[in-house]
Amino acid sequence: DQQVKQNSPSLSVQEGRISILNCDYTNSMFDYFLWYKKYPAEGPTFLISISSIKDKNEDGRFTVFLNKSAKHLSLHIVPSQPGDSAVYFCAASAGIIQGAQKLVFGQGTRLTINP
Amino acid sequence: EPEVTQTPSHQVTQMGQEVILRCVPISNHLYFYWYRQILGQKVEFLVSFYNNEISEKSEIFDDQFSVERPDGSNFTLKIRSTKLEDSAMYFCASSGQGVSGYFGPGTRLTVL
């Protein structure tokens, strides 16, 4: 099941520069997309989300871009900081059943910020 | 900041034994979930729960699995007869209306 794909298993970025993490999806029924950050021995932590009616959502240093025609989304982190080093998961949801939101996750991208 | 908690952090069991994984969701959330992540693989949805019943479940969530909200605060996942392939990190999550899921730290289940 490859409905959500993160093709880069790892990414290394210099501190202060922009980090761009990419995610592709195949299911056109997905209407809500999320990014989670995960440190070792912790659960995923919600970062930012975007509805399919938008193409951009910004929260501080984090911006998510959605290109529905390409079925592609990206997370931009600028400026990147050492504390941003973690595994980043893209997730998608296709509608809500009784208010509950089932998430389909990508494989994750390990981001390393170098000082 | 409110958080989802899970116990135990690590559970080791023998194949065929029953295990119960426990979660305390965020108190004003209404929707509860279990996900799992087998080592090196994706985080996978198992089940969602609302209003004391299952909203949706995945193919993984077969008759060996069950969920329960025995009181106003706990949410449990039971595996009746564990298999080697059940070894994974199990994450509990909860969400409110229009709020994205908050995940707990996970329980590492090791089946020997």
Side-chain angles (χ1 to χ4, degrees), chain A residues 44-111:
Chain A
T45 301
F46 170 73
L47 269 180
I48 192 168
S49 62
I50 188 166
S51 162
S52 60
I53 62 173
K54 294 187 173 183
D55 54 22
K56 177 182 173 181
N57 188 28
E58 193 171 348
D59 184 2
R61 296 186 298 115
F62 302 93
T63 303
V64 56
F65 295 92
L66 175 62
N67 182 335
K68 287 188 291 294
S69 60
K71 293 192 175 68
H72 176 84
L73 64 155
S74 60
L75 174 68
H76 293 209
I77 306 172
V78 56
S80 301
Q81 299 174 352
D84 296 330
S85 295
V87 177
Y88 288 78
F89 291 97
C90 169
S93 172
I96 293 177
I97 294 178
Q98 293 182 310
Q101 185 185 69
K102 165 190 168 183
L103 299 178
V104 179
F105 281 84
Q107 305 96 312
T109 296
R110 181 177 301 279
L111 175 65

Side-chain angles (χ1 to χ4, degrees), chain B residues 11 13-21 36 46-47 54 57 60-68 76-84 86 90 109 111:
Chain B
Q11 174 88 50
T13 189
Q14 294 290 325
M15 190 170 56
Q17 294 296 303
E18 174 183 288
V19 294
I20 298 176
L21 310 183
R36 79 173 186 187
L46 292 178
V47 65
I54 291 174
K57 59 183 181 180
I60 304 166
F61 195 89
D62 62 22
D63 291 344
Q64 293 301 310
F65 291 86
S66 62
V67 288
E68 196 177 36
T76 63
L77 174 70
K78 183 194 289 186
I79 310 175
R80 273 182 256 285
S81 178
T82 50
K83 303 187 284 283
L84 295 175
D86 293 328
Y90 286 81
L109 177 65
V111 182

